[in-house]
Amino acid sequence: MEGRPALDTEFFTRLMRHHQQGRRYPPSTWAVGFAERLLFALFPEHEGRCLDSLSELRAEFSLLHAELLRILVPLQPELPRPAAALAADFMDTLPVTFDTLMADAQALLAGDPAARSLYEVIRAYPGFYAVALYRMAHTLHRLGVPLLPRLITEHAHGKTGIDIHPGAVIGPEFCIDHGTGVVIGETARIGQRVKLYQGVTLGALSVTKDLAAVTRHPTIEDDVIIYAGATILGGDTVIGAGSIIGGNVWLTQSVPPHSRVYYHGGDEVRPPSPAR
C-alpha cells in the first residue's frame, strides 16, 4: 500500500536475532516480583497483611528460595558460580539484611518529627522502600549476578524518584527524607548514620568509558547530613565525618570532618521601607 513502510526480510532477520538473544534473560517482572514478595516476607507491615504461623513463614521463604533459583538458572552462562550456590548465599544474608533495614527504619523514625511510628515508616515512606530494594539488589550485585540488581533498583526508582545504583556501598542507619530526585552513583561509598534530603546527587565528574572500573563517585563518611539540592561529584571527593552540607551546595573537592558547607547566593531580602 502507498505510504506503508517496507518491512523486508532483512529487517525481520535482524529483529529475530534480538528475540533469540533475549531468551536468556528472565522477564523483568520476575525480578521485581521476587523483590516485592521478599519485602512482604521481611516486613508484613509494608502490605498490611501477615502470615498466621511459623510453618507458613518457613514455607514462604522456601518458595522465595525456589523463585530466586528459577530466575538465576537462565543466567547461568553469565554467573560466576552455580545458580544454586548463589541462591543459597543470597538467602543466607537475609538476617543481616533484615537487621540493617530495621536500623534504617529506626533512623528514619528518629530523624523525622513527622513520623509517628515504625509501622508508618515501613509502610509509607518512599525512602525506606527505595533503600530496602537497594539492599536486596546490592547483595545480588556483590554476588556477581548481572542485570537483576538494576531491574530491582530501577523499579524502586520509578516508584519513588530515588535512584540508587546497586553497586553503591551504604552503611546502616541510612536515612533518605522525602527523597524525590536523590541520585547515588555506582561507586559511591556512604558510611553509617548518614542522612540525605530530596534532590541530593552523589555523582561522577565527566569520565571516559575506560574508567568505568575506577571510583568515580564521592565518599560520604559517618554522621553526615546533606540537605536538599546539594550536588557532590567525583571519586576523589570525601565528605569528612560529622559534616553538614547545606542545600544547593555544589562540591567537587573534599572537606575535612565536622565541616559546615553552605551556599551563599546573591539574593538579599530587605525589610520594607518605612512609609512616608
Side-chain angles (χ1 to χ4, degrees), residues 223 240-246 249 255-264:
D223 301 300
S243 294
I244 296 176
I245 309 301
V249 164
V255 301
H258 306 292
S259 296
R260 302 293 184 268
V261 183
Y262 298 106
Y263 172 74
H264 294 287

Side-chain angles (χ1 to χ4, degrees), residues 103-128:
D104 296 332
Q106 291 284 0
L108 275 163
L109 177 62
D112 184 359
R116 297 292 182 261
S117 67
L118 202 61
Y119 184 96
E120 179 183 356
V121 167
I122 291 169
R123 188 164 189 184
Y125 274 47
F128 178 80

Side-chain angles (χ1 to χ4, degrees), residues 113-179:
R116 297 292 182 261
S117 67
L118 202 61
Y119 184 96
E120 179 183 356
V121 167
I122 291 169
R123 188 164 189 184
Y125 274 47
F128 178 80
Y129 179 85
V131 171
L133 264 62
Y134 150 77
R135 294 208 185 275
M136 299 174 196
H138 178 70
T139 300
L140 292 169
H141 177 87
R142 187 165 46 81
L143 290 171
V145 176
L147 185 62
L148 301 183
R150 284 304 297 267
L151 295 178
I152 292 169
T153 55
E154 283 305 315
H155 174 72
H157 182 196
K159 286 193 69 171
T160 66
I162 298 169
D163 183 1
I164 309 176
H165 193 286
V169 177
I170 302 175
E173 298 181 63
F174 182 51
C175 177
I176 298 180
D177 199 350
H178 302 296

Side-chain angles (χ1 to χ4, degrees), residues 65-84:
H65 188 172
E67 186 174 346
L68 178 58
L69 183 58
R70 178 185 70 148
I71 296 169
L72 292 178
V73 164
L75 296 171
Q76 185 60 73
E78 300 178 47
L79 297 178
R81 293 188 290 123

